[in-house]
Amino acid sequence: MSIGKEEVVHVARLAELAVSEAELQKLADQLSRIVDFVAELNEVPADTSAPPFQAGPAMTPLREDIVSPVPLARGPGSFAPVFIDGFFVVPRLGPMEEE
């Protein structure tokens, strides 16, 4: 389908756009190319669907979910001055002292 200067003037008038005489042919050519491209899209078969896009491999291997403690470079007893039976022993504060 071809778009002529008359159609460009008509569309410009409807859109209330001021189009100079020098730009009419350039706009007509551009609109014709756009309409031709849209017409090409009508040739794409619409009855088939494309597979969904998936970035990466189709199947990603999963690791086994195993809960285990994280080994420390040093034991927790080396972090505090007093460590008894798996607990950090801290000094009591003034309001917490027994009377």
Side-chain angles (χ1 to χ4, degrees):
M1 180 176 179
S2 177
I3 303 289
K5 291 182 183 180
E6 299 81 25
E7 287 88 1
V8 174
V9 171
H10 178 70
V11 171
R13 189 174 302 127
L14 290 174
E16 297 181 1
L17 296 174
V19 178
S20 67
E21 190 69 33
E23 295 176 324
L24 282 179
Q25 187 58 45
K26 181 179 174 184
L27 287 174
D29 293 340
Q30 291 174 347
L31 285 174
S32 291
R33 284 189 300 212
I34 291 171
V35 170
D36 290 341
F37 177 74
V38 172
E40 286 180 24
L41 293 178
N42 287 334
E43 297 173 9
V44 175
D47 56 343
T48 60
S49 63
F53 174 76
Q54 180 179 3
M59 182 63 180
T60 303
L62 300 176
R63 65 174 173 79
E64 189 176 341
D65 194 12
I66 300 172
V67 179
S68 60
V70 177
L72 299 175
R74 297 185 315 177
S78 65
F79 290 98
V82 183
F83 187 77
I84 300 174
D85 294 330
F87 294 99
F88 293 100
V89 180
V90 294
R92 292 183 179 267
L93 296 176
M96 298 174 71
E97 290 183 8
E98 296 176 12
E99 294 181 19

